[in-house]
Amino acid sequence: MVVQLGHRLRERGQAAQSLTLTLRFAGDTRWEKTRRLGEASAHDDDLRTLAYRLMDAAGLQRGRLTGLTLKGEDLLDADQVAQQISLDSAREARLLTEGAVDRIRAKYGPRAIGPAAVFRRAS
């Protein structure tokens, strides 16, 4: 979900300032939590880190989860977001890769490329 959200934000030229995670459980119970990003972003790494924090905050134990929604909120135009200079070369490489992945998806469709964990192993 984070990869799809990040792609949609970048495709629209937007960045989210916060994320909202909504969980629905059997019996029509809902849990919703919103957290702000340190700075507005459309990068998968930033969105994923905050999404994991939201999931941790939910404290899921044994509840029967029937629905999960992740929304980017407080959207800004991407050109309004300051670009932070980073000395983390691995992060910079991942951010650079996002552009190439987005171009592949635009040319060949959204399922052409994605996280390695979602692809089945070749036999």
Side-chain angles (χ1 to χ4, degrees), residues 9-16 40-43 75-83:
L9 287 170
R10 290 188 302 275
E11 189 175 56
R12 295 175 182 172
Q14 296 177 315
S41 180
H43 298 298
L75 303 179
L76 294 174
D77 287 334
D79 59 358
Q80 293 180 340
V81 177
Q83 292 208 349

Side-chain angles (χ1 to χ4, degrees), residues 63-77:
R64 242 178 72 210
L65 193 62
T66 61
L68 182 117
T69 306
L70 184 67
K71 294 187 293 187
E73 300 196 297
D74 301 324
L75 303 179
L76 294 174
D77 287 334

Side-chain angles (χ1 to χ4, degrees), residues 20-76:
T20 298
L21 176 68
T22 305
L23 303 175
R24 284 184 305 282
F25 299 94
D28 292 332
T29 332
R30 264 178 57 150
W31 181 91
E32 185 173 290
K33 187 71 128 182
T34 301
R35 292 254 170 100
R36 292 189 69 77
L37 289 152
E39 60 187 47
S41 180
H43 298 298
D44 295 349
D45 278 355
D46 300 332
L47 300 175
R48 182 180 298 112
T49 300
L50 187 55
Y52 283 160
R53 286 187 186 143
L54 285 165
M55 289 296 290
D56 288 344
L60 295 176
Q61 295 289 322
R62 294 180 182 225
R64 242 178 72 210
L65 193 62
T66 61
L68 182 117
T69 306
L70 184 67
K71 294 187 293 187
E73 300 196 297
D74 301 324
L75 303 179
L76 294 174

